[in-house]
Amino acid sequence: QVQLVESGGGLVQAGGSLRLSCAASGRAFSTYAMAWFRQAPGKEREAVAGINWSGSNTYYAESVKGRFTISRDNAKNTVYLQMNSLKPEDTAVYYCAAQTPRWGSSWYIQGSYDYWGQGTQVTVSS
């Protein structure tokens, strides 16, 4: 069983920055693909960014490209989401998710992830 704990959320003004962290338990973290999803009030959860097991490949939703950066430190069992130039529409609960090794999965498909964190609130004021 893998436990994921997000941190780093908070209240920030539009144009500001936040860095989210997701700490994972267990020894197999370096084999997992990881991703960040978010869910705004009244909306469905959506994929934000993904990263493969080694960190060599990253993926982003169009809405965050050029503003958000996903990264990971396998030595620390941690994945990060650096969020810059934040907008009010980025307000949401942000979740990290872990995907055990498999073939042919798409990073943005929620059902392909095996473990989820409890979420951290990000609020961007205008």
Side-chain angles (χ1 to χ4, degrees):
Q1 190 72 11
V2 174
Q3 290 187 328
L4 304 174
V5 180
E6 300 99 334
S7 61
L11 174 63
V12 64
Q13 288 188 333
S17 298
L18 282 175
R19 188 175 84 153
L20 305 183
S21 299
C22 173
S25 64
R27 299 181 179 181
F29 174 79
S30 61
T31 69
Y32 299 156
M34 300 294 295
W36 288 94
F37 290 78
R38 68 185 181 185
Q39 187 168 21
K43 295 188 177 181
E44 294 186 352
R45 189 178 299 183
E46 62 176 358
V48 175
I51 189 167
N52 72 335
W53 65 272
S54 66
S56 60
N57 294 322
T58 56
Y59 314 93
Y60 298 95
E62 285 296 325
S63 59
V64 306
K65 274 185 181 178
R67 301 189 298 122
F68 290 12
T69 303
I70 188 171
S71 62
R72 67 189 297 159
D73 185 338
N74 286 344
K76 295 183 178 180
N77 276 21
T78 302
V79 63
Y80 304 98
L81 185 67
Q82 178 66 44
M83 305 186 294
N84 298 329
S85 302
L86 282 161
K87 304 175 181 179
E89 52 263 44
D90 294 317
T91 295
V93 177
Y94 283 70
Y95 301 89
C96 72
Q99 182 187 84
T100 56
R102 65 192 65 191
W103 291 102
S105 63
S106 298
W107 74 273
Y108 51 85
I109 297 178
Q110 298 182 48
S112 67
Y113 288 85
D114 303 284
Y115 304 104
W116 292 82
Q118 81 289 348
T120 186
Q121 177 71 47
V122 172
T123 303
V124 184
S125 63
S126 57

